[in-house]
Amino acid sequence: MKIIVGEWFRIPQVERDIFRSLVREARLQYDKTRGYLASSETDLGLMTTILGNALKENVVVMLKCFICGTAIECEECKYKDVCRSSQIFQSCICKNCDTKEEVANIYSMRFTELIG
Amino acid sequence: MWVENYRPTNPNMIIGNEETRLNFITWLKKWQKKSKASLILGPPGVGKTTLVHAVAKDLGYEVLELNASDVRTKTKLEKRLGPSRINSTLFEKKILIFLDEVDGIYGREDKGGIEFLLDLIKSSRNPIVMVANVEENKKMIKLIKSTQVFRFQRIPPKLLEMVVKNILRREDRTINQVKLEMIVRDANGDVRAAVNSAQVASSGNEDLISELRDTQISPIESLKIFFDSSTPEGAYLALSKCKMQPRDKVRAIFQSILSAKLDGKKMIEIMEELSKADELVAKIGKTQNWTLLRYFDRILANSLFPALKDTQVRYREQSLPWNLQLRIWNDRVPLRKISSSLAIQYHLSSKDATLFYLPYIVLLSKLKNYEKRIIDRLRLDESSVKFLQKEAKKVSQEIRKN
């Protein structure tokens, strides 16, 4: 199962205790209509363990590229061993954008766009 | 220094914490009198202070800055910040009150500093921005409750690499890729550390890099990383980078294990592994052989790591597990109702009624015809009856098991 930080996702119904742990302890947001949301406040390490045990499948967490919005698989990153999984970053940059020469300027421009 | 030359002067030049940065800008844009003050929390070198100055400049504020670790007493704070309660402009420019390192304000010698700040927050006619590194200090809770909090996290390594590469390009300097990655890894999400190391590395002074590399992390951060580590080496590094007393490390890990949801067998396994490190601490204390301390972090990490694998143990400050806390929270109302009813009926203190009488009432309620009599006698409402039935069911299950 792949979970993208900042995007709503759904899982099959889980027991009350598991739901409680996901929302209270791993700090996943829950909305009846939209499902679950992993945000910058979420303890992704704990969420992955709880979901992995409950759903009996491998849970992969992905971040969005701040520049192009593509989902990035952290497993492929050379820095995955130093990235903290308990408090994940709000976004990152993908391989493709990283190779652009003016990446720092593009990053700044993207933020300017968001400020509006 | 590159860190000074390339310090961002515009909010869009800062890296990382995009969502938090946007929220902070929106907060200051929308600030009105009686709006909450803000508190920016986060580790060093992630751009907290830089953001405040950049946003203030962008929105036309004059920054009235005070380092709270230098000016900590109420009298000094009053002297420096008192006039800002009356004036809302300075030479016709809007004023932003900026208190850096407010976590340094706490301590016995601070004589009312926190009370002054809380009072200032309520009465200020200007936006107040406070910055702190830690939120672990219990006294910070007062400030957290009365402010809008913006939490900064460490900067992702990829973004650190982007910044360092950009500066190197502009300075027309080069570092080989291996060294660059080493700098990024060792910076631990701190832009300042990464830029400083890059400057040193590009000048060819290798010894200084290893000195800069020796970074320290806070106890809470260390324990969080320890429990999240995917390798024993990662767990060891997390412990070794923190200057916490060995006994305190054992205690904090013990508390976290205790509050995790684990089955009995696993709990015993982990506790047995933890006891090895605890024994070493005791042995060192007894024999005064302090040289053994150098093995402590290694033993703690290596013995605990395999046992902790695939468990949900995480760093916890609270000693009670969540399900127990929830039970206390949910059950306290009916429990109090039954106890006070019992206390009135039998002329007891509520404490005695709960401790000595209630268990018998629970047992009796399972007997034929007794439940109704108890409910009538104690005039229990629906929630109390439910609680009583639930407890009685648990007790009988327990009896049957044994």
Side-chain angles (χ1 to χ4, degrees):
Chain A
M1 179 186 190
K2 285 179 179 175
I3 294 171
I4 301 168
V5 176
E7 273 190 17
W8 293 92
F9 65 94
R10 291 188 171 278
I11 53 168
Q13 197 169 359
V14 286
E15 281 174 33
R16 220 168 84 180
D17 270 3
I18 295 168
F19 173 79
R20 207 177 275 158
S21 305
L22 284 172
V23 175
R24 300 274 183 180
E25 293 179 46
R27 297 187 297 278
L28 263 180
Q29 284 179 42
Y30 177 72
D31 181 274
K32 264 186 183 173
T33 50
R34 289 182 287 181
Y36 296 86
L37 175 77
S39 66
S40 52
E41 297 280 310
T42 307
D43 182 336
L44 289 182
L46 185 59
M47 177 200 77
T48 313
T49 322
I50 298 173
L51 279 179
N53 287 340
L55 306 175
K56 306 267 179 278
E57 64 174 299
N58 194 25
V59 178
V60 179
V61 176
M62 294 165 94
L63 287 176
K64 268 189 187 172
C65 172
F66 182 69
I67 294 171
C68 66
T70 323
I72 311 162
E73 276 203 46
C74 298
E75 279 304 305
E76 290 171 5
C77 179
K78 59 185 173 188
Y79 292 119
K80 69 172 182 182
D81 56 322
V82 284
C83 253
R84 290 182 52 194
S85 53
S86 65
Q87 268 190 315
I88 199 75
F89 308 113
Q90 293 165 8
S91 57
C92 196
I93 44 172
C94 69
K95 244 185 194 174
N96 191 26
C97 293
D98 195 23
T99 49
K100 290 174 186 163
E101 201 180 323
E102 289 291 323
V103 59
N105 287 341
I106 302 170
Y107 176 90
S108 293
M109 275 155 59
R110 175 81 188 106
F111 191 80
T112 316
E113 278 170 33
L114 289 177
I115 300 175
Chain B
M1 291 285 279
W2 286 359
V3 268
E4 287 309 320
N5 298 347
Y6 292 97
R7 183 183 287 277
T9 49
N10 199 305
N12 62 10
M13 288 159 75
I14 300 168
I15 55 158
N17 296 293
E18 298 84 5
E19 199 184 310
T20 317
R21 262 193 292 153
L22 275 174
N23 292 342
F24 178 75
I25 295 169
T26 315
W27 169 81
L28 193 55
K29 270 184 183 170
K30 289 186 177 171
W31 190 89
Q32 296 172 331
K33 276 173 197 166
K34 290 188 181 172
S35 288
K36 270 189 169 183
S38 75
L39 174 63
I40 305 179
L41 295 168
V46 293
K48 304 184 295 293
T49 306
T50 308
L51 176 73
V52 177
H53 283 286
V55 178
K57 191 183 154 205
D58 220 31
L59 300 178
Y61 278 95
E62 192 68 41
V63 180
L64 181 61
E65 185 176 349
L66 212 64
N67 192 315
S69 17
D70 300 332
V71 187
R72 295 144 59 115
T73 64
K74 185 184 172 181
T75 335
K76 283 182 182 171
L77 282 166
E78 176 79 64
K79 200 175 164 189
R80 300 282 291 271
L81 295 172
S84 69
R85 292 195 208 224
I86 308 155
N87 304 321
S88 56
T89 55
L90 182 71
F91 307 119
E92 290 178 358
K93 261 197 150 188
K94 296 182 283 180
I95 305 172
L96 180 135
I97 300 170
F98 175 37
L99 300 166
D100 206 353
E101 296 182 33
V102 280
D103 40 349
I105 211 166
Y106 303 108
R108 279 185 184 170
E109 70 276 29
D110 291 341
K111 295 171 193 161
I114 175 69
E115 281 70 28
F116 175 79
L117 275 189
L118 290 169
D119 191 38
L120 183 75
I121 287 168
K122 278 183 203 156
S123 61
S124 176
R125 299 173 68 178
N126 305 296
I128 300 176
V129 182
M130 288 170 282
V131 165
N133 285 147
V134 287
E135 56 179 299
E136 291 134 33
N137 192 324
K138 279 187 182 164
K139 289 175 193 169
M140 283 293 284
I141 293 167
K142 280 186 186 173
L143 271 186
I144 290 173
K145 276 184 183 166
S146 44
T147 51
Q148 178 152 358
V149 178
F150 299 94
R151 283 191 174 81
F152 270 57
Q153 290 157 16
R154 293 189 183 276
I155 309 300
K158 275 272 190 83
L159 291 182
L160 281 186
E161 190 183 298
M162 177 186 87
V163 167
V164 173
K165 271 183 181 169
N166 187 40
I167 294 176
L168 286 168
R169 194 169 52 88
R170 288 166 73 177
E171 287 287 326
D172 203 18
R173 299 260 188 100
T174 49
I175 303 178
N176 70 48
Q177 188 60 26
V178 178
K179 209 180 275 177
L180 179 66
E181 281 177 25
M182 192 184 84
I183 287 169
V184 170
R185 279 164 196 279
D186 292 343
N188 194 20
D190 182 334
V191 188
R192 212 166 17 217
V195 174
N196 277 336
S197 301
Q199 185 173 10
V200 175
S202 67
S203 65
N205 200 340
E206 301 293 319
D207 296 340
L208 269 172
I209 302 179
S210 55
E211 252 174 61
L212 285 164
R213 212 185 300 155
D214 199 17
T215 48
Q216 289 289 322
I217 52 174
S218 77
I220 290 186
E221 214 170 353
S222 150
L223 290 164
K224 278 182 177 167
I225 302 170
F226 170 78
F227 285 117
D228 282 339
S229 298
S230 51
T231 57
E233 192 57 27
Y236 161 70
L237 278 175
L239 290 174
S240 63
K241 281 193 172 187
C242 167
K243 270 186 184 165
M244 203 178 175
Q245 288 296 321
R247 194 165 287 281
D248 291 337
K249 285 181 188 172
V250 173
R251 202 170 291 142
I253 293 172
F254 173 76
Q255 210 157 53
S256 304
I257 295 167
L258 210 61
S259 33
K261 223 181 281 171
L262 293 167
D263 64 67
K265 217 173 153 189
K266 193 73 190 166
M267 177 78 84
I268 293 169
E269 187 195 336
I270 298 172
M271 287 299 185
E272 269 179 1
E273 294 304 327
L274 181 64
S275 69
K276 287 177 190 168
D278 194 32
E279 269 175 33
L280 178 71
V281 180
K283 207 171 201 172
I284 293 168
K286 213 172 174 182
T287 57
Q288 299 287 301
N289 191 357
W290 302 107
T291 49
L292 287 176
L293 263 185
R294 72 179 71 155
Y295 305 111
F296 172 76
D297 289 331
R298 185 68 76 181
I299 288 179
L300 192 57
N302 285 2
S303 58
L304 269 178
F305 185 80
L308 284 171
K309 216 175 172 194
D310 296 327
T311 61
Q312 292 177 13
V313 185
R314 287 291 180 280
Y315 172 71
R316 301 258 156 74
E317 280 167 88
Q318 285 164 331
S319 51
L320 285 176
W322 173 250
N323 53 359
L324 193 57
Q325 278 184 56
L326 201 72
R327 210 182 140 202
I328 293 169
W329 178 258
N330 287 337
D331 292 348
R332 74 197 162 107
V333 180
L335 188 68
R336 204 174 288 166
K337 274 185 195 165
I338 300 173
S339 301
S340 58
S341 191
L342 256 178
I344 294 165
Q345 285 280 331
Y346 297 102
H347 305 285
L348 303 160
S349 70
S350 291
K351 190 183 167 190
D352 282 352
T354 319
L355 279 175
F356 306 114
Y357 287 70
L358 190 63
Y360 292 103
I361 297 291
V362 171
L363 276 174
L364 279 172
S365 70
K366 282 303 282 179
L367 297 177
K368 212 178 178 185
N369 301 329
Y370 267 77
E371 190 188 76
K372 195 176 178 313
R373 281 167 69 185
I374 292 168
I375 293 168
D376 291 343
R377 185 77 188 259
L378 298 178
R379 293 190 196 110
L380 300 181
D381 61 9
E382 207 184 322
S383 66
S384 308
V385 173
K386 261 190 188 170
F387 170 79
L388 196 68
Q389 286 168 340
K390 198 175 81 185
E391 286 302 304
K393 200 177 161 189
K394 267 188 213 160
V395 171
S396 55
Q397 273 173 353
E398 215 45 54
I399 292 170
R400 236 177 278 146
K401 240 194 247 174
N402 297 321

